[in-house]
Amino acid sequence: MNGSNHSLAIRGTTLSVALLIVFLTAWQWGPGLLRIPPFIIPPLSAVFNEAVRMWNVSGLAFHTGITAAEVLAGFILGSLLGASIGYLIGMSPTAEFALSPYILALQIAPKVAFAPLFILWMGFTIYPKILVAILIVFFPVMVNVLTAIRTVDPDLINLARAFKAKRAQIFWRIEFPASLPPLFAGLRIGSTLAVVGVVVGELVGGNAGLGYLLSFGEGQANTAMVFVAIVMLTLVGGLAYLLVILIELRVLHYLPKRAQMGF
Amino acid sequence: MPDLIRLEYRNVTMRFTQGASRLTAVEGVSIAVRDGEVVSLIGPSGCGKSTLLNIGSGLTAPSEGEAFVDGERVEGPNEHVAFMLQKDLLLPWRTVAENVMFGVEIQGVPAAERRRRAKSLLETLKLAEFSGHYPHQLSGGMRQRVALARTLAVDPTVLLLDEPFSAVDAQTRMVLQRELAQTLQRAGKTALLITHDLLEAVTLSDRVLVMSRRPGRIIDEIPIEIPGRDDPLKRRLHPKVAGYVNRLMERLDIGHLETTGAPV
Ligand SMILES: Nc1ncnc2c1ncn2[C@@H]1O[C@H](COP(=O)(O)OP(=O)(O)O)[C@@H](O)[C@H]1O
Ligand SMILES: [Mg+2]
């Protein structure tokens, strides 16, 4: 729309690409120049070769798929649960008053610490990993929805009431749409946290997923393998985040562009 | 029927309790606004003007006394009244046209009729070309005009306006004042206008009511005997205006406040 914004985007992209090239170059030749042994930091090419080997021999695609599926399941279920509870509590001040100490306690508790417990309960399956992800995604989504419902301008509610709006109309026409921008902010945080939850679950126990490859690589002192797993995890997390952004751009299309792109 | 009373407050008193402290916001206020009349209400801030508006629109019940609209006792929100505030209260996810239709949509007016009303209001308020825009794309004055259109769309007999233009710049305000005056005149609406702007009160109304400091009571009533209520810009130049403004300043103790500092 305006020239200075456009040239800012071009300059920014150029700089980003340049930084990437510098980073990859440093990764490839830096360790050699600084005499860092490959079992501490393997050069880029070694990591790439390891990735190809893992793809062909160690089922890298399979493990990535498992992790991605767990992340997706945990993220979707955790978001649905968080949003629903957020709306329910947000609509009932009594419920909020009664539940807030427990919510706070659960929010403070480190959710990943539940991973061993869930594995004891459900064995080396995908379920404990999904459950950790649900638990960790739940809170930012719920808290954002709750805060949004609570901070809706009371004059807006009064306006609707003056038109004789029923409770359901107030919810669907005012409170729900007003909660969407904070909900999406919560979903963005949730999408990255889901990966954390799943990886911790996989690290604690099991024989599938990128977290499993992480600990397997560690056991073998295969540093390149650990790097490959980290890169793949970042990709999975990045895809989940991108998915949220794409949906958000469609749903919140009415917001000014600048407010929308704040990553 | 020029003497039909559209809006009436009968001996209204409003007390608020907050914790242990009790506060009387308004006390024994009686106001009667006739059909088609525009009455302004001015008074120091915190004297209970907005409280009266909330009572008139049925959002809060008075502690004592009662309010009537179109002869019916106000028991809760009703179709006869609509209000407009200093805040435009536009929904950012709705287009201008959708915002205008907000009230009629809630009231269950059929979609075709909703669109017809929105279209004609947007045309009279010179907003037709913006009907597909979102609120953030509009200036403050335009947003306030959309809010006025939304208020008129439900076709109320009585409009309650709470400092509707105090947040817009002086020039836009004059334009909006004229638009409001013309619209009220054309549609024959009855209005109670709360304002801080003495000139606005004088140029837009048939009558100005002055309230005291809290607990708010009506301490003066000034009929504005200047012709042409539908053209406040012209009315502003009338020689009688200065006299009315002066009297309002005296009643509000404005000169006195300046020398001794504002009281709490
Ligand atoms: N819901 C409420 N609870 C307690 N006090 C209130 C409430 N609404 C208004 N008040 C008090 O009543 C007085 C009058 O308020 P208001 O009608 O908003 O004044 P004005 O609009 O004239 O500035 C103020 O002192 C305000 O603090
Ligand atoms: Mg007020």
Side-chain angles (χ1 to χ4, degrees):
Chain A
M1 230 197 295
N2 85 41
S4 77
N5 262 348
H6 193 67
S7 73
L8 174 75
I10 292 181
R11 263 183 296 143
T13 313
T14 316
L15 194 61
S16 273
V17 173
L19 275 175
L20 180 69
I21 293 171
V22 170
F23 172 74
L24 293 179
T25 312
W27 190 358
Q28 174 61 27
W29 287 289
L33 286 175
L34 297 172
R35 304 191 187 291
I36 298 170
F39 62 85
I40 300 290
I41 300 180
L44 177 62
S45 56
V47 173
F48 182 78
N49 290 338
E50 175 64 11
V52 173
R53 190 198 63 78
M54 285 166 71
W55 187 276
N56 293 329
V57 187
S58 318
L60 179 59
F62 165 76
H63 290 289
T64 307
I66 289 283
T67 298
E70 289 164 348
V71 166
L72 202 65
F75 173 62
I76 291 176
L77 293 174
S79 306
L80 283 176
L81 201 66
S84 317
I85 306 267
Y87 287 121
L88 280 177
I89 299 180
M91 309 256 296
S92 157
T94 321
E96 192 197 335
F97 192 82
L99 293 177
S100 58
Y102 306 103
I103 292 170
L104 188 66
L106 269 173
Q107 212 179 346
I108 293 167
K111 264 73 67 185
V112 290
F114 286 85
L117 188 64
F118 294 158
I119 287 183
L120 286 174
W121 290 348
M122 285 175 268
F124 293 153
T125 59
I126 60 169
Y127 303 111
K129 289 93 175 176
I130 295 177
L131 201 57
V132 181
I134 290 176
L135 201 62
I136 204 170
V137 168
F138 176 83
F139 285 95
V141 175
M142 189 206 65
V143 168
N144 274 29
V145 167
L146 186 56
T147 315
I149 294 282
R150 239 193 289 125
T151 51
V152 171
D153 186 347
D155 283 329
L156 222 46
I157 310 269
N158 276 341
L159 178 76
R161 278 181 55 213
F163 292 132
K164 294 173 89 168
K166 295 178 186 64
R167 189 69 194 86
Q169 284 178 314
I170 292 178
F171 178 74
W172 287 111
R173 276 157 223 258
I174 294 180
E175 291 173 322
F176 179 70
S179 73
L180 287 179
L183 169 65
F184 273 101
L187 292 180
R188 287 184 187 200
I189 301 169
S191 68
T192 58
L193 289 181
V195 181
V196 176
V198 165
V199 173
V200 171
E202 289 174 344
L203 280 172
V204 174
N207 53 10
L210 292 168
Y212 163 72
L213 289 187
L214 267 182
S215 65
F216 182 82
E218 182 205 354
Q220 306 274 307
N222 184 347
T223 316
M225 188 178 217
V226 172
F227 272 92
V228 171
I230 292 174
V231 170
M232 293 311 281
L233 280 168
T234 309
L235 283 180
V236 169
L239 278 176
Y241 192 81
L242 191 67
L243 193 71
V244 175
I245 300 262
L246 288 179
I247 298 173
E248 180 176 336
L249 282 174
R250 302 209 104 199
V251 176
L252 304 182
H253 64 91
Y254 57 85
L255 288 182
K257 285 286 167 288
R258 188 171 31 83
Q260 244 172 16
M261 292 316 292
F263 277 64
Chain B
M1 288 183 289
D3 281 347
L4 177 74
I5 305 290
R6 286 285 184 202
L7 171 68
E8 188 180 2
Y9 292 90
R10 252 183 237 166
N11 222 346
V12 167
T13 295
M14 187 71 197
R15 280 184 285 271
F16 292 109
T17 31
Q18 248 179 359
S21 69
R22 256 156 70 103
L23 171 156
T24 307
V26 292
E27 194 166 57
V29 167
S30 294
I31 300 174
V33 186
R34 287 184 294 275
D35 182 46
E37 202 183 13
V38 177
V39 172
S40 282
L41 190 59
I42 62 171
S45 63
C47 74
K49 303 181 294 296
S50 300
T51 302
L52 284 175
L53 179 135
N54 286 335
I55 292 170
S57 55
L59 291 171
T60 40
S63 314
E64 277 166 38
E66 44 210 348
F68 295 86
V69 171
D70 277 351
E72 286 172 29
R73 185 160 183 248
V74 175
E75 309 269 0
N78 63 82
E79 288 95 358
H80 306 281
V81 202
F83 69 78
M84 175 177 170
L85 307 184
Q86 175 181 347
K87 283 188 274 185
D88 56 63
L89 297 178
L90 298 183
L91 302 173
W93 52 87
R94 283 179 173 241
T95 62
V96 165
E98 288 165 349
N99 265 293
V100 172
M101 289 187 275
F102 180 64
V104 271
E105 195 183 301
I106 285 179
Q107 294 183 349
V109 174
E113 169 66 11
R114 295 204 291 256
R115 278 194 295 273
R116 196 193 60 74
R117 284 199 208 174
K119 191 158 175 284
S120 98
L121 278 166
L122 289 174
E123 267 159 24
T124 40
L125 289 170
K126 302 175 193 81
L127 287 162
E129 55 179 309
F130 302 103
S131 65
H133 285 52
Y134 285 95
H136 75 87
Q137 298 170 302
L138 307 182
S139 68
M142 272 159 41
R143 295 168 61 112
Q144 220 39 3
R145 244 186 271 168
V146 177
L148 178 61
R150 177 188 58 205
T151 310
L152 292 165
V154 294
D155 200 21
T157 45
V158 176
L159 275 83
L160 300 174
L161 308 161
D162 195 350
E163 304 180 26
F165 307 135
S166 56
V168 298
D169 66 85
Q171 281 135 53
T172 310
R173 186 182 310 170
M174 288 195 262
V175 176
L176 289 174
Q177 285 169 348
R178 187 174 57 184
E179 238 144 61
L180 175 68
Q182 287 172 348
T183 312
L184 291 176
Q185 180 85 355
R186 201 180 319 115
K189 300 284 184 203
T190 306
L192 183 66
L193 170 69
I194 294 170
T195 177
H196 273 134
D197 181 339
L198 306 187
L199 202 52
E200 178 171 281
V202 171
T203 53
L204 261 71
S205 345
D206 298 304
R207 209 152 38 104
V208 180
L209 301 175
V210 184
M211 280 178 84
S212 67
R213 235 168 274 141
R214 203 174 59 222
R217 294 193 190 88
I218 307 288
I219 52 168
D220 200 3
E221 173 183 350
I222 308 174
I224 306 296
E225 281 150 359
I226 309 175
R229 201 199 68 194
D230 61 337
D231 193 354
L233 296 190
K234 203 169 140 201
R235 231 182 172 200
R236 191 179 263 269
L237 306 172
H238 196 278
K240 275 181 167 176
V241 168
Y244 287 125
V245 170
N246 219 18
R247 176 158 164 204
L248 289 174
M249 283 172 67
E250 267 167 31
R251 296 310 278 146
L252 291 167
D253 237 3
I254 286 175
H256 180 70
L257 291 189
E258 259 171 10
T259 50
T260 57
V264 194

